[in-house]
Structure formats: structure tokens, C-alpha cells
Amino acid sequence: MAKVLATLALLGGLTPVAQAAPACWQEFCGKYPPAPQPGQWSSAHVSYGTNGKLKYASDKDGNRVPDFSYVGYHYGEKPLPVVPDVVTISPVAGDNTAHLQQAIDQVGARTPDANGHRGAVRLAAGRYEIRGTVRIRHSGVVLRGSGDTTTLFGRGDTPHQRTVVVLGSDAKTPWTTGASVEVTTPFVQVGSLSLEVANAAEFKVGQEVVVRHPSSQKWIDAVGGGGVVQDAKWTPGSMDLHWVRRIRAIDGRRLTFDAPIYNHLDRSLTVSAVAPVTARNLVSESGVESLRVDVETKGGEDENHAWNAIGVFGADNSWVRGVKTRYFGYAGVVTERSVRITVKDARATDPVAIRTGGRMYNFAANTDSHLILFTGLHAAKARHAFVSNGANTTAGVVWHRATVDGGDAEAHRRWSQGLLFDNIREVGSGGNQAKLINRGDYGTSHGWGAAHSVVWDYNKEMVVQKPPTAQNYAVSNEGTRRSQPYFPGPWGSIEIKTGPLVPESLYEAQVVDRLAVAHD
């Protein structure tokens, strides 16, 4: 194991964490690396070495494909748990909001087990009218339906455009930090797990921290004011980047984190810093499972109705799985102010709203979404089916093995980092796109939508551009490149070739590679 981790450090330029890798439990673990196939090819940026490990190539500016394998519940190192039912309820006449909330809070008052789980509220088959918001606001609580036969029916519009189900604390500031310590490493390459600080005595192993990259005037200038053309340029202080991490190891002044940093930290442009988290307000080890959420609307362009079906707002190591959502205005499932979340085997279809900006984002990673995995999805009739809409505060998000019938996959605005769209399949007849682009004057100074992000194996049109100081990538054995971008900026790295692409899934290969089970 030590040899494997050392090799990974040499190939990727990463500092290995000082602990044994956990077992790989996912169903795809036995597929990688694959046996050689006739006509197969690999990206120039990430491929298998002779030792069967992934190797990463950096360009002259230090840009490289980052490791996306750390996303999701417990970094993808544990399967989603099966939490036992402890309360079962059936629907009552009229509004069921208080009925569900009482059962959820009853379970929330239980003593958690060794894994932090208190138990599940099982909803029997039937339709549950919901005129308010149902909140899973305690750690270790699961709201579980009985499959398609359990429907939460979001009725009415009080408050206006509410969310039907909220998983999490919903705290507006879930992380409070103390005094920060400067990063002294001159250039921390994207994808790095470690860096040096002025004084490591302020930190301890296991501590949660926030790594901050201020948006100085020099950095704003380096990224061309954001890429806008006629709109207002980005301003210093408005585009600060940050990543929520835990310290895995301390060696002198070097801190090693639990997950990569998804942007370069270049002291010639701005002085980054690390701050300890002194208080946090997040719900952990909770989930929403096996139910449908429908929203009552008048159809057409009606917008006076519940806006999100399920919102993960203020959660850590939690999940949404086996859900179906319809008739929302904004999202079927949306994450905000959360870290290490898995959304699995979910459907979001048939949104109802005016077809314009800020609507119909079926699976969305919004403000402060960190290390999020969306996998096994289906979206239909979206504007943006799979989208990062958290701007500069969203980093480390994967949309994996999903199908879409109408709607783009894209980074929507203002420098989201470390996004991966992996094996997205358009199954309808629409002319949808995967976009990692300069959005220029779209919206309000949207500018560069993403940096250090990847489209991997997409079957329709791709539009991928290179932002200043960064790179974006498209690697696919199908699909096409758009003839020209929408706003100024060079093309990113685009590799579209026929024949089997190896690895077939970048995310899956990276998970197996990091957990090191295939070659020990």
C-alpha cells in the first residue's frame, strides 16, 4: 500500500494521506483498469501507466485534470447506509406537514447509534398533502417512503416559491471560522492535497478548515475581468474562492487535506489563507429516500407554487436516493451550503415555470456546494438539466451516468471549479450541449462559468473553452464540437476520437485508483 500511495504522489504531484486506503465497495470496482481492446485510446491528460495506475500530465502552466473521486457521502469510501425504520405513519386528511414533522422530530429526539443514526420515518403508501415545508433538521434521521406509491404533494404557495422538503440545518452560515494563517507555498497546483502555511501550530489533525483564495485586483486582471464583454467586470472581493476541508496530516508547516484544492493558489496573484472552523451548523447522516414529490401548479407558465421539490441546505455526509420529482419551478434536487452529499437514482422531470433565466435547473449545485456526487439521474424538459449555479463558491461536483431528455449540462456562471460531467447521455431529439465556457454577458456578468473542469464521454455537442490561468477539458468517443464559442476565449482541450475510450468513466477509474484495491 505504501508503494502504491508513493507512486500516486509521484504521478499526480499529490501528497498521500498518512493512512491506509479503505476498501472499494462500488459495483464498478472490478472494471478498472480494463483489459486492452482493439482501437482503444486514452486522453493525453489522464491515462493508465505501465503499473496500472492513472497518470496525469500537466501543461506548461501547471494545469491538469484533477481527481474528482473524493465527492459524495464519506468521499465515496462507504456505501449509503440502510437505516432501520423506527416510526411508520400513513397520510391523514388535509395538510400533512405537521403530521410528518412531528414524526421526524420524534425520531430526531432519539439517541443516535455508534454510526450517528437515529432511525427512519417510514411513510406508508398514499398521497400526503404538504402545504408547508417538511424539514429533516436532526442528524441521523431518514425520511423514507414506500416507493412510487408514496407521494408528497406540495400544495399552495405559502410562503411564495418554497421548498417542499429540506434536508439540513438550513443555516445561512453553516461554518464559522477563526483567524486565518497565510499560505506560503508560492504556487499550489490545482489538484494538490497539501500546502505550507506560515504557522502550522494553529492547527491539529482532524480539524475542519476553510482554505480561501481572495479575489484580488491582480487575480481579476489575470482572468481578464471575468471574460465579460460589455457588462461590468468582476470586482475584487466579490469572487473569493474557498474550499471546506479537514486536515489529515501535519508535517512541519505542511498541512495535508482530505480532498484536493480545485484551483491554483498563486501567490504572485493573491495571498491565500487557511482558517480553522470554530463552529458548524450542519445536519449529518440523514437522508430522503424512496418517494415522489409532486408540486401542484396550474401548468403552462404558472410560477405561484412550490419552487424546489427537495433542497439539501446545510448538510454533511447525507444523501437523497430513489426519489422522483415533478412540476417544480427551479429544481427537483438542489444542494446549497453542504459538503459530501450523494444524490443517487433520482428523476427530475416536467418543470413548470416561465422558460427563462433562473428556472428549470433540474439537478443543481448551488452556493457552497462542496464535494457533491449526482449519479444515476434522469432529467427531462429542463433548461439546464445538470448545472452548477453556485458561481465561485461551488467546487468539486460530479454528475455521473445520467440521462437527459431536454436540457444542457453546464457550469452556469462565475468560476465554479472542479466540475465533472461523466457519461451524460441525451436520450431525446433535442440539440443539447455540455458547456464549460465563457458565458460573457449572459445573465449578470456571468463570464467564465468554470475552471479546471471536465466533460467526459458525452454524446452530443460540446462547447469547451480555456479560461485565463486555468483549463477545461472535453474527452469523448462520440459527440461533436460546436463550430464556434458564444463569447471570446480560446478553445479548451478537446479530444473527440472514435474507438473505445479508456477509462470509460473518469470518476469510476479515479475512485478505484485512489482506493488502490485493483493493484495491491
Side-chain angles (χ1 to χ4, degrees):
M1 176 63 70
K3 182 177 179 182
V4 169
L5 291 175
T7 301
L8 180 58
L10 289 172
L11 291 174
L14 307 182
T15 300
V17 295
Q19 64 178 36
C24 183
W25 57 270
Q26 288 94 336
E27 65 276 8
F28 52 74
C29 289
K31 293 170 55 180
Y32 297 95
Q37 304 173 62
Q40 74 179 31
W41 63 280
S42 296
S43 168
H45 303 287
V46 55
S47 59
Y48 285 106
T50 56
N51 63 349
K53 298 291 293 181
L54 292 175
K55 60 180 181 179
Y56 298 83
S58 300
D59 66 20
K60 62 181 179 59
D61 298 317
N63 299 310
R64 66 179 176 197
V65 171
D67 187 346
F68 299 99
S69 69
Y70 294 81
V71 299
Y73 177 78
H74 286 281
Y75 316 96
E77 295 170 4
K78 294 182 179 182
L80 297 182
V82 179
V83 178
D85 297 342
V86 295
V87 172
T88 299
I89 63 174
S90 298
V92 297
D95 183 11
N96 279 248
T97 307
H99 179 49
L100 267 64
Q101 196 65 59
Q102 181 180 15
I104 292 167
D105 292 344
Q106 177 185 340
V107 175
R110 291 168 55 90
T111 301
D113 65 16
N115 296 312
H117 301 146
R118 290 183 161 94
V121 175
R122 165 74 73 172
L123 302 181
R127 190 172 84 159
Y128 298 74
E129 180 180 311
I130 306 296
R131 287 191 173 271
T133 295
V134 174
R135 297 182 180 275
I136 298 96
R137 52 195 177 192
H138 300 91
S139 294
V141 178
V142 174
L143 180 64
R144 176 180 296 134
S146 301
D148 281 356
T149 58
T150 300
T151 299
L152 305 188
F153 188 54
R155 301 200 70 177
D157 190 36
T158 304
H160 180 52
Q161 296 185 345
R162 72 191 188 280
T163 300
V164 178
V165 179
V166 170
L167 166 60
S169 67
D170 207 10
K172 301 308 178 187
T173 307
W175 295 277
T176 302
T177 57
S180 60
V181 179
E182 278 191 12
V183 173
T184 57
T185 307
F187 183 82
V188 179
Q189 186 182 15
V190 61
S192 294
L193 284 167
S194 70
L195 49 78
E196 290 191 345
V197 293
N199 181 12
E202 301 296 320
F203 304 100
K204 60 184 179 181
V205 173
Q207 184 175 39
E208 192 170 47
V209 297
V210 175
V211 182
R212 294 195 178 98
H213 171 287
S215 50
S216 66
Q217 185 65 61
K218 288 183 70 174
W219 183 77
I220 296 291
D221 292 343
V223 300
V228 295
V229 179
Q230 296 183 1
D231 279 4
K233 292 184 178 181
W234 296 351
T235 56
S238 68
M239 290 294 300
D240 295 355
L241 314 179
H242 65 268
W243 307 272
V244 178
R245 297 291 182 263
R246 287 195 181 273
I247 296 175
R248 284 278 178 89
I250 301 175
D251 183 7
R253 294 189 296 111
R254 180 165 291 274
L255 307 180
T256 298
F257 302 120
D258 60 339
I261 303 300
Y262 288 112
N263 204 80
H264 300 312
L265 307 184
D266 186 346
R267 273 184 69 94
S268 71
L269 300 178
T270 190
V271 177
S272 296
V274 182
V277 172
T278 57
R280 72 199 307 263
N281 185 2
L282 297 120
V283 166
S284 299
E285 298 293 339
S286 292
V288 179
E289 303 178 352
S290 302
L291 51 77
R292 179 185 293 280
V293 181
D294 286 350
V295 174
E296 179 185 51
T297 79
K298 296 178 182 178
E301 295 187 341
D302 177 28
E303 296 198 334
N304 295 315
H305 57 80
W307 211 230
N308 299 307
I310 300 171
V312 182
F313 302 152
D316 172 22
N317 285 324
S318 295
W319 64 92
V320 176
R321 66 174 163 190
V323 302
K324 297 180 179 179
T325 62
R326 297 185 296 185
Y327 316 135
F328 48 86
Y330 184 83
V333 182
V334 53
T335 62
E336 290 185 9
R337 296 158 274 143
S338 295
V339 60
R340 290 178 294 272
I341 304 299
T342 293
V343 179
K344 183 177 183 180
D345 299 336
R347 295 174 62 90
T349 62
D350 307 293
V352 175
I354 299 169
R355 199 169 186 84
T356 188
R359 295 152 173 86
M360 302 179 176
Y361 296 176
N362 292 27
F363 290 98
N366 282 9
T367 304
D368 267 319
S369 291
H370 300 274
L371 304 178
I372 311 295
L373 172 62
F374 293 91
T375 183
L377 312 178
H378 178 70
K381 300 182 181 179
R383 289 183 61 251
H384 305 302
F386 313 119
V387 59
S388 164
N389 195 29
N392 51 301
T393 67
T394 293
V397 184
V398 173
W399 290 264
H400 166 253
R401 295 217 183 264
T403 56
V404 55
D405 185 358
D408 294 338
E410 74 160 26
H412 194 56
R413 59 192 176 105
R414 300 191 179 191
W415 209 269
S416 294
Q417 322 101 54
L419 311 179
L420 171 62
F421 299 93
D422 186 338
N423 279 263
I424 306 299
R425 292 287 180 271
E426 168 60 57
V427 295
S429 58
N432 299 309
Q433 298 174 326
K435 294 184 285 192
L436 302 172
I437 64 172
N438 179 13
R439 288 179 54 85
D441 298 339
Y442 287 157
T444 306
S445 300
H446 277 192
W448 287 102
H452 306 294
S453 297
V454 179
V455 175
W456 192 274
D457 198 6
Y458 180 71
N459 69 336
K460 291 290 184 177
E461 189 171 72
M462 289 161 272
V463 197
V464 174
Q465 291 176 270
K466 181 189 184 307
T469 76
Q471 181 60 290
N472 290 315
Y473 308 84
V475 182
S476 187
N477 61 4
E478 53 187 328
T480 59
R481 188 187 79 172
R482 192 175 192 270
S483 59
Q484 61 184 16
Y486 294 92
F487 283 92
W491 288 112
S493 174
I494 301 175
E495 301 169 282
I496 303 174
K497 303 177 184 180
T498 58
L501 171 60
V502 177
E504 176 192 351
S505 163
L506 178 61
Y507 167 71
E508 293 172 11
Q510 288 181 326
V511 169
V512 174
D513 199 68
R514 176 168 63 87
L515 301 187
V517 297
H519 317 292
D520 283 2

